[in-house]
Amino acid sequence: DETKMNKGNVGKLLSLFVEHSPNRMDTLSRLVNDVLQEVPHLGKGKGVAVFPTCSYQTFGSYYSTVLEYLWKELVNLFNSPLGKTKDPTAASKAMERMHQMIGLLQSLFGLTKDHEALAKKSILLQQLKFGSRFIETFVLKAIPFFQVHFQHHEDTILDIIRLLQRWSHQLYHIISHGKREKDANLAKEA
């Protein structure tokens, strides 16, 4: 008997796919750059060629899964030896990964900023939920990490902070929108 592909099934399957990927950051990069970036250009009822289950209808499932796993990857980074290292050479690898994560977040937020049809309330709520978690984790874990490595990586650290600041600016626009529209759910998630 055939299993129906609905939004819930797609989200669960995508979570399993990402969770069990040998390299989650490569998988997340591919999902953002090769899959989700194609959705605004799809015809009605069409799916992305490399991931046929990704369409306008399932965009939210893909989007929230990727957002959640980007936050989880930041948590995993700081729970790993790489995120606790005192070695300047190893620290640069951790910083590269943070830079990559924030770049992917910027791309995701840019999708909804540049394509109004994708900026549904449920998507904005996911942005606030996982964006806030990402920033919280970043402040709690990355800032102390940066303090240890500032002497050796000043330019890289400042670049990462600038990138995070630009991305978080988009997050604050969503919060402002929720307050302007008097949207209790958006305001609460903020």
Side-chain angles (χ1 to χ4, degrees), residues 110-121:
L111 270 173
T112 57
K113 180 182 172 194
D114 299 337
H115 304 282
E116 204 172 300
L118 299 176
K120 296 178 180 151
K121 185 176 170 180

Side-chain angles (χ1 to χ4, degrees), residues 45-57:
K46 301 284 184 197
V48 175
V50 291
F51 271 77
T53 57
C54 186
S55 64
Y56 269 108
Q57 291 74 26

Side-chain angles (χ1 to χ4, degrees), residues 138-161:
F138 189 89
V139 169
L140 286 171
K141 304 287 186 171
I143 300 301
F145 181 81
F146 289 163
Q147 288 172 330
V148 170
H149 298 286
F150 193 76
Q151 183 178 355
H152 296 285
H153 298 285
E154 180 178 346
D155 292 339
T156 305
I157 290 170
L158 292 175
D159 188 44
I160 290 170
I161 291 172

Side-chain angles (χ1 to χ4, degrees), residues 62-76:
Y62 273 76
Y63 196 89
S64 63
T65 300
V66 171
L67 275 176
E68 179 179 3
Y69 275 93
L70 280 170
W71 166 66
K72 285 181 176 182
E73 279 304 292
L74 185 67
V75 171
N76 290 341

